[in-house]
Amino acid sequence: MQNSQKEHLYKILVIGDLGVGKTSIIKRYVHQTYSTNYRATIGVDFALKVLNWDSDTVRLQLWDIAGQERFGNMTRVYYREAMGAFIVFDVTRPATFEAVTKWKEDLDSKLTLANGKSITTVLLANKCDQSKDILVNNGLKMDQFCQENGFVGWFETSAKENLNINEAANFLVKHIIASENDILKSVVPDTVSPQLTTTTKMSCSACFKP
Amino acid sequence: MSVMMADVDNGDQTLDTVSLQTECSHFGDDGESSLGSDSELNGFPGYRETDKYGFIGGAQKYSAESSEEVPPAVLRQRELKWLEMLKDWDKWLSKRFKKVRLRCQKGIPPSLRGRAWLYLSGGKVKKERNSTTFEELDSKEGDPMWIDVIERDLHRQFPFHEMFVSRGGHGQQDLLRVLKAYTLYRPDEGYCQAQAPIAAVLLMHMPAEDAFWGLVQICEKYLPGYYSAGLEAVQLDGEILHALLKRVCPMAYRHLDKHKIEPVLYMMEWFMCAFSRTLPWASVLRVWDMFLCDGVKIIFRVGLVLLKSMLGSRDKLKACPGQYETMEALRAIEPKYMQEAYLVHQVLEMPVTARDVERQHRTQLKRWKKKRGEPTRKPPHRMHSARAVMANEPHTRQDLRQKPTIIVQYPSIPEEISESSLRKKRGSVKRNQPLVPNIPNPYALPNESKFNSISEIHPLSKENQYIVLPNPPSHPPPPLTKQENQVGGTCQRNIHMDGRTQGFPAENYQKHDTASTGSPSSYSPFWCHVFPSREYLKGPHMYLKYLTSHLSAILDHLTSPDLSSSVTSLLFSGFTYQDTDDHPLLYRHQYTCHLTVNCHFVHLNISREILRKSFHSSSSVGYNPQPFPPRSLSFAVELQRAFDPTKPRSEAAHKLAKLLQDSAADSNFIDYNFATSLGIQFQDLQAPIQPQHSLKDPLNRRRTCFRTSP
């Protein structure tokens, strides 16, 4: 497992309400640019980001999914085989924050990892350049929100000012790799190894034995 | 008021553009000034170069490789043919539909594309039969929920098109009006994000009301159910596409299956936006020409051509070893496969008929029901051709009648008194025109002295008469009121001219007028011809200047509350430009533009192609040399009566007065975007042009206008 040169390929979803800046975040992250002239996403769009992760290469497929509720019917197809997700809201619009739980539920109901867990999800409070805000200024509250709703963490981001986007992505990747190891341990019998740190081992890993 | 001309060339430093720059250098070289805020806001500093379609950038901008050039002579021929067809639209559709289709396949001439689309889609009939609907919807408050979503999308539709580039500009305002009207028209459907590009494409070709009906037709007849909650119809079409691919290109079909690439991963944007966001613009227009004629099968064919082109051979598949690579390939189609001529040819060759689509529709619907149960919505049956759309919609010939687009004649003045009083005012009448009453320019000219020399308007000459009106209109427009006469006497210079004129394309208006059915009073176009003097023939920029300066004067006159022939909408069409003295060759240009004056703002949309041509042709030898009377620059204006002319005029006058009051109209309304798009700068306006109200304010939305001081 721990070969020196490895390639990881992760599909990452970027979801959230309409106009919260999903496309902008992706363009910033992948192309290091920002513009006010992005078109509304219709259906789904993609971008690829390659990272050097220690000695490995990590390829992130970022899936930019249309925010309008109307496209929700297709999300099952879009979500398939994703390993991680950003759920984005716009700090200047409280309604988009309220929608976050809705997106999380949608995600969890349609997609789980091989071990039955939901995929690693990071919450992004975007457009933080625009407001010294109400919603996010209470870090503790946000931490609590994340814990309650199954986010591994949250970041205040700005695609415009390039704030925290790389950090959020690295954070997500770190957690994905961790959870991937988790899965491998739990579902691939040959690699079962003594687990000292894991407390949430699947009780039924024996079922997978041939 | 005068207008500033900036550099309009498109970056190709050919000789003629250089000379053009030199020629207009005395206008200064100020790139920013009045459009500053606008362009900064949108991240486009400096002046903006548009291509012939109005794009200032982005992937869809014109490139010579992506489109075919149609020789002007061919274009002129096509225009004539289309005018002929539009004249007897129902007959052509029912009896000679194949010919119509063929002409759609060849490409609708740009100057008539908007009108043709409106006719093809059946929007024309809908509009005529529901003549007050749009106005009513437009005046209503929209559902805040939809308005909120729509407003978030306004600046995200063709952000590189000059019409939509400015926040709160006329393009975005119209887009809001059209989309809002649709949510009110079909509250059960609401708004789907993919409708915005459709509406935007239509708005590039027609005024808001027409675009609204075009949108209605596309949503209900061509792509029913595509935009409804759940988006089931388009997903089903995805399955149909996939099934058709199996027959058309098994290799691509297997590849997609192998990598579990479901249709919704690549075809949503293609289909929901009718390829308007995918293809280079020349191809978009050609696809839409065919789509509005032949329905959804064209969309399927285009999709199949793209799939086949990108995934149709072993080599190509090698380049797409996985799911992601394949989807990437389908998202970034190689330009050569989207090139206008190639694509159109392939689409025509693609053996997929409406019947195939219907057959697959049934099959896939069954599968759908098995897999996912009964669809929650049952969209109406879709129409597979313009002919079917028309057959489905009851209509009369009256509904199909074209609204006049060309002005050829000022209304003949019925009362002898007016006639004689007008004669007195004529300064210099062309002496060899005794048969036709000389008619003063109904429009006040700008005050500046330099415009005085324009004061030549030409009554119908004999030559024109046969071209235009075989007989004088049998139903003269309403007589001028006393007030009007006064207006005429004081504001306008009498106009006559020393050359010959020819309006273009007048051919279809003649009958239209004489044959105007039954009730003469139901239709009273306001004809006029305005001819500039030679100083306006110095170059294209000069006639733009002339045009814009006249616009304000015309609008000023039209929006005068005294004028009881109230006008809310103007259509410019057939601008003919000719100057044999300044240039050794004969040139003839025309362009079409819409001008909508709804008393709030002016929307002027000129076919950029023609403008561009006129810029470049000034030194391009041999450009469409056609015999044409010298020294005439004519532009034709069509005025459309604002209100139902059958209603009492007092009512219309009252309404207009109210509108004017509402819009705080004082005098001149100038389309800001129009001017900036052409690189014109309004320099010496007494008051800066700015939107009067923010777009955000829903109450004032309709009043937003760009005004200039007289």
Side-chain angles (χ1 to χ4, degrees):
Chain A
M1 281 310 295
Q2 308 300 323
N3 292 343
S4 59
Q5 191 59 21
K6 243 188 81 179
E7 270 218 6
H8 303 266
L9 176 65
Y10 300 128
K11 172 173 169 181
I12 310 288
L13 305 172
V14 183
I15 54 181
D17 264 9
L18 175 150
V20 295
K22 299 178 290 296
T23 305
S24 297
I25 287 176
I26 292 176
K27 299 267 183 194
R28 168 59 83 183
Y29 184 53
V30 177
H31 304 292
Q32 289 86 41
T33 54
Y34 174 79
S35 157
T36 51
N37 294 299
Y38 296 131
R39 303 183 302 185
T41 308
I42 288 169
V44 62
D45 204 350
F46 322 90
L48 188 71
K49 171 86 175 179
V50 182
L51 296 175
N52 293 316
W53 195 266
D54 299 331
S55 56
D56 298 349
T57 308
V58 172
R59 301 167 85 84
L60 297 180
Q61 272 179 19
L62 294 146
W63 285 51
D64 182 2
I65 291 166
Q68 199 186 13
E69 211 176 353
R70 215 151 270 219
F71 293 89
N73 223 353
M74 260 86 66
T75 51
R76 191 182 297 276
V77 182
Y78 298 152
Y79 291 169
R80 193 176 295 159
E81 289 170 10
M83 289 293 289
F86 288 117
I87 296 184
V88 188
F89 71 97
D90 172 354
V91 292
T92 63
R93 287 153 61 205
T96 64
F97 179 69
E98 285 153 28
V100 163
T101 44
K102 203 193 70 199
W103 280 102
K104 185 72 168 73
E105 278 162 23
D106 187 56
L107 187 62
D108 291 346
S109 68
K110 289 174 179 168
L111 179 68
T112 49
L113 295 173
N115 60 5
K117 283 194 201 171
S118 53
I119 64 165
T120 311
T121 310
V122 171
L123 182 62
L124 301 183
N126 196 34
K127 305 195 188 178
C128 69
D129 56 292
Q130 281 188 28
S131 106
K132 308 279 168 270
D133 197 40
I134 13 164
L135 275 170
V136 192
N137 58 8
N138 192 337
L140 276 177
K141 231 179 185 171
M142 285 297 285
D143 288 341
Q144 199 191 342
F145 176 84
C146 284
Q147 215 155 30
E148 283 167 6
N149 291 281
F151 291 93
V152 295
W154 66 281
F155 287 84
E156 273 187 292
T157 57
S158 164
K160 191 176 176 189
E161 305 292 336
N162 196 12
L163 291 176
N164 270 340
I165 290 174
N166 285 315
E167 289 78 357
N170 289 339
F171 182 80
L172 181 70
V173 171
K174 198 176 80 188
H175 278 79
I176 290 173
I177 291 178
S179 73
E180 194 180 36
N181 291 335
D182 237 29
I183 297 168
L184 289 170
K185 284 167 196 161
S186 61
V187 305
V188 183
D190 293 346
T191 62
V192 169
S193 52
Q195 291 143 24
L196 300 173
T197 51
T198 326
T199 51
T200 55
K201 189 172 99 59
M202 292 301 289
S203 56
C204 59
S205 64
C207 306
F208 290 94
K209 281 190 175 156
Chain B
M1 198 221 62
S2 89
V3 164
M4 189 68 201
M5 184 67 205
D7 173 13
V8 194
D9 105 80
N10 200 15
D12 31 351
Q13 290 293 322
T14 53
L15 267 177
D16 48 343
T17 59
V18 173
S19 67
L20 190 93
Q21 281 167 17
T22 322
E23 195 179 336
C24 58
S25 61
H26 62 280
F27 288 108
D29 198 20
D30 170 24
E32 310 278 336
S33 67
S34 59
L35 78 155
S37 60
D38 222 29
S39 48
E40 276 163 29
L41 193 72
N42 292 285
F44 294 106
Y47 72 86
R48 299 171 293 201
E49 299 162 343
T50 65
D51 69 3
K52 63 183 181 183
Y53 309 115
F55 283 93
I56 54 175
Q60 292 182 301
K61 195 173 176 179
Y62 169 84
S63 71
E65 304 82 56
S66 69
S67 54
E68 310 180 272
E69 204 59 40
V70 182
V74 175
L75 217 50
R76 299 291 91 83
Q77 281 306 309
R78 288 187 184 163
E79 280 165 350
L80 293 177
K81 288 175 181 173
W82 271 93
L83 285 168
E84 191 60 36
M85 290 201 295
L86 290 165
K87 214 160 60 175
D88 288 309
W89 187 245
D90 48 350
K91 277 193 194 133
W92 276 87
L93 274 203
S94 56
K95 301 209 170 79
R96 305 194 63 191
F97 185 64
K98 276 187 184 156
K99 196 84 189 168
V100 178
R101 171 187 288 149
L102 190 70
R103 286 172 181 173
C104 288
Q105 291 170 350
K106 286 183 173 174
I108 301 169
S111 60
L112 289 164
R113 185 169 265 129
R115 202 190 303 174
W117 282 2
L118 192 67
Y119 274 73
L120 283 165
S121 66
K124 170 74 178 165
V125 170
K126 271 271 208 238
K127 175 183 150 187
E128 296 302 326
R129 299 193 79 84
N130 304 280
S131 53
T132 57
T133 305
F134 181 75
E135 197 192 326
E136 284 160 20
L137 297 173
D138 195 31
S139 62
K140 278 190 199 161
E141 289 279 309
D143 179 336
M145 178 185 73
W146 292 127
I147 299 297
D148 181 62
V149 181
I150 294 169
E151 281 184 341
R152 283 186 199 293
D153 275 352
L154 293 179
H155 67 284
R156 304 201 288 171
Q157 310 307 326
F158 302 106
F160 291 106
H161 192 279
E162 55 90 9
M163 199 173 151
F164 298 100
V165 77
S166 312
R167 297 245 178 173
H170 74 75
Q172 294 192 14
Q173 290 181 55
D174 278 355
L175 192 58
L176 175 68
R177 292 171 65 208
V178 170
L179 295 171
K180 184 201 79 176
Y182 190 81
T183 62
L184 290 162
Y185 183 69
R186 296 295 305 270
D188 52 325
E189 297 279 314
Y191 164 69
C192 172
Q193 283 194 297
Q195 284 171 315
I198 300 279
V201 175
L202 293 169
L203 278 171
M204 290 175 201
H205 294 90
M206 53 189 88
E209 181 175 6
D210 295 3
F212 168 74
W213 290 112
L215 178 69
V216 165
Q217 290 299 93
I218 289 174
C219 296
E220 294 182 352
K221 300 292 195 316
Y222 286 78
L223 305 172
Y226 263 37
Y227 308 103
S228 313
L231 309 181
E232 285 166 328
V234 67
Q235 292 184 71
L236 188 63
D237 274 2
E239 299 301 327
I240 297 170
L241 177 71
H242 194 56
L244 291 170
L245 184 66
K246 188 176 186 177
R247 173 161 63 83
V248 169
C249 182
M251 189 182 277
Y253 173 83
R254 282 195 301 271
H255 182 80
L256 292 175
D257 263 2
K258 182 175 150 197
H259 293 288
K260 297 196 184 105
I261 301 171
E262 295 190 24
V264 291
L265 293 179
Y266 58 84
M267 55 72 71
M268 295 296 289
E269 185 182 285
W270 289 2
F271 276 54
M272 295 188 86
C273 307
F275 291 99
S276 62
R277 307 208 318 175
T278 309
L279 305 173
W281 204 249
S283 306
V284 170
L285 297 174
R286 295 290 299 276
V287 166
W288 277 52
D289 290 348
M290 295 187 288
F291 166 58
L292 293 174
C293 177
D294 264 339
V296 78
K297 80 168 181 222
I298 298 297
I299 303 296
F300 279 103
R301 288 182 183 188
V302 176
L304 291 167
V305 168
L306 298 184
L307 286 166
K308 192 178 167 186
S309 302
M310 291 305 289
L311 307 173
S313 78
R314 219 167 284 266
D315 289 347
K316 284 167 189 154
L317 293 184
K318 261 187 204 155
C320 317
Q323 188 195 53
Y324 187 81
E325 289 83 355
T326 309
M327 290 193 309
E328 191 58 44
L330 292 178
R331 201 189 52 157
I333 309 266
E334 280 177 59
K336 62 179 175 186
Y337 300 129
M338 301 191 289
Q339 195 268 342
E340 184 181 350
Y342 172 86
L343 185 71
V344 171
H345 178 74
Q346 293 292 313
V347 165
L348 294 177
E349 296 282 294
M350 182 61 68
V352 169
T353 62
R355 189 180 290 181
D356 295 332
V357 172
E358 279 304 311
R359 195 182 301 132
Q360 273 305 330
H361 186 95
R362 287 190 293 273
T363 315
Q364 296 304 324
L365 191 59
K366 268 185 209 155
R367 285 190 56 200
W368 177 290
K369 285 176 181 168
K370 254 188 214 160
K371 249 173 45 189
R372 310 168 63 159
E374 201 66 33
T376 48
R377 279 162 184 262
K378 230 184 173 165
H381 196 71
R382 65 180 145 207
M383 303 286 161
H384 284 287
S385 71
R387 181 159 68 169
V389 172
M390 170 158 277
N392 188 252
E393 195 86 37
H395 62 274
T396 61
R397 291 217 74 185
Q398 179 88 8
D399 298 329
L400 289 169
R401 206 169 57 177
Q402 295 180 84
K403 291 289 156 87
T405 312
I406 303 302
I407 301 313
V408 206
Q409 185 198 28
Y410 186 70
S412 56
I413 304 200
E415 293 163 59
E416 273 182 38
I417 303 155
S418 345
E419 177 75 9
S420 58
S421 67
L422 287 166
R423 278 216 177 111
K424 270 180 220 155
K425 284 176 186 155
R426 284 201 303 260
S428 49
V429 185
K430 182 121 198 270
R431 277 153 199 96
N432 57 358
Q433 302 284 327
L435 291 177
V436 191
N438 204 351
I439 292 151
N441 180 5
Y443 306 128
L445 292 164
N447 293 327
E448 291 140 284
S449 60
K450 59 186 166 185
F451 288 107
N452 289 347
S453 52
I454 316 172
S455 40
E456 298 175 336
I457 198 169
H458 186 42
L460 283 179
S461 62
K462 268 187 187 171
E463 296 87 333
N464 283 334
Q465 206 173 10
Y466 85 82
I467 296 165
V468 177
L469 289 172
N471 303 304
S474 54
H475 52 87
L480 295 174
T481 62
K482 268 184 190 169
Q483 262 175 327
E484 280 166 338
N485 276 333
Q486 277 165 12
V487 168
T490 53
C491 304
Q492 78 199 17
R493 290 130 192 106
N494 291 328
I495 293 183
H496 53 101
M497 78 170 267
D498 57 358
R500 299 187 309 159
T501 79
Q502 181 171 349
F504 180 89
E507 36 295 89
N508 57 330
Y509 301 105
Q510 40 198 334
K511 288 204 178 133
H512 184 77
D513 225 41
T514 45
S516 64
T517 59
S519 72
S521 63
S522 70
Y523 182 61
S524 47
F526 210 79
W527 303 108
C528 86
H529 237 169
V530 184
F531 300 95
S533 73
R534 288 185 40 74
E535 71 178 275
Y536 296 95
L537 295 172
K538 285 178 183 156
H541 56 290
M542 294 303 277
Y543 74 62
L544 285 176
K545 180 177 167 163
Y546 166 79
L547 174 67
T548 30
S549 58
H550 260 273
L551 271 182
S552 64
I554 291 166
L555 297 180
D556 193 16
H557 186 76
L558 292 178
T559 50
S560 149
D562 294 332
L563 188 72
S564 52
S565 67
S566 39
V567 172
T568 55
S569 158
L570 297 177
L571 281 175
F572 269 64
S573 179
F575 190 113
T576 331
Y577 168 69
Q578 173 68 37
D579 184 4
T580 50
D581 291 352
D582 290 348
H583 303 289
L585 292 163
L586 299 169
Y587 307 121
R588 181 179 178 191
H589 307 286
Q590 50 184 304
Y591 60 81
T592 308
C593 50
H594 302 295
L595 170 67
T596 313
V597 191
N598 59 11
C599 295
H600 300 290
F601 57 89
V602 180
H603 166 190
L604 182 58
N605 186 4
I606 294 195
S607 157
R608 282 112 200 147
E609 182 172 19
I610 304 300
L611 285 174
R612 183 139 297 288
K613 275 192 184 136
S614 44
F615 280 99
H616 286 276
S617 61
S618 45
S619 67
S620 63
V621 174
Y623 177 72
N624 190 25
Q626 284 190 11
F628 200 73
R631 288 188 193 184
S632 74
L633 166 61
S634 68
F635 74 85
V637 184
E638 165 202 342
L639 314 182
Q640 213 176 299
R641 289 288 300 277
F643 306 104
D644 184 354
T646 53
K647 282 185 194 155
R649 299 175 79 212
S650 57
E651 195 180 312
H654 179 73
K655 258 191 185 169
L656 180 67
K658 180 135 189 342
L659 276 173
L660 286 164
Q661 210 176 3
D662 285 349
S663 62
D666 32 30
S667 52
N668 300 322
F669 295 78
I670 295 293
D671 183 306
Y672 182 42
N673 276 29
F674 158 62
T676 52
S677 75
L678 298 171
I680 296 172
Q681 314 241 320
F682 289 92
Q683 173 102 128
D684 45 356
L685 297 170
Q686 285 162 19
I689 306 174
Q690 48 188 317
Q692 298 259 299
H693 306 283
S694 103
L695 194 63
K696 278 279 169 194
D697 178 359
L699 281 174
N700 283 324
R701 187 170 297 124
R702 293 191 64 244
R703 299 179 194 170
T704 306
C705 60
F706 300 102
R707 283 190 300 140
T708 68
S709 294

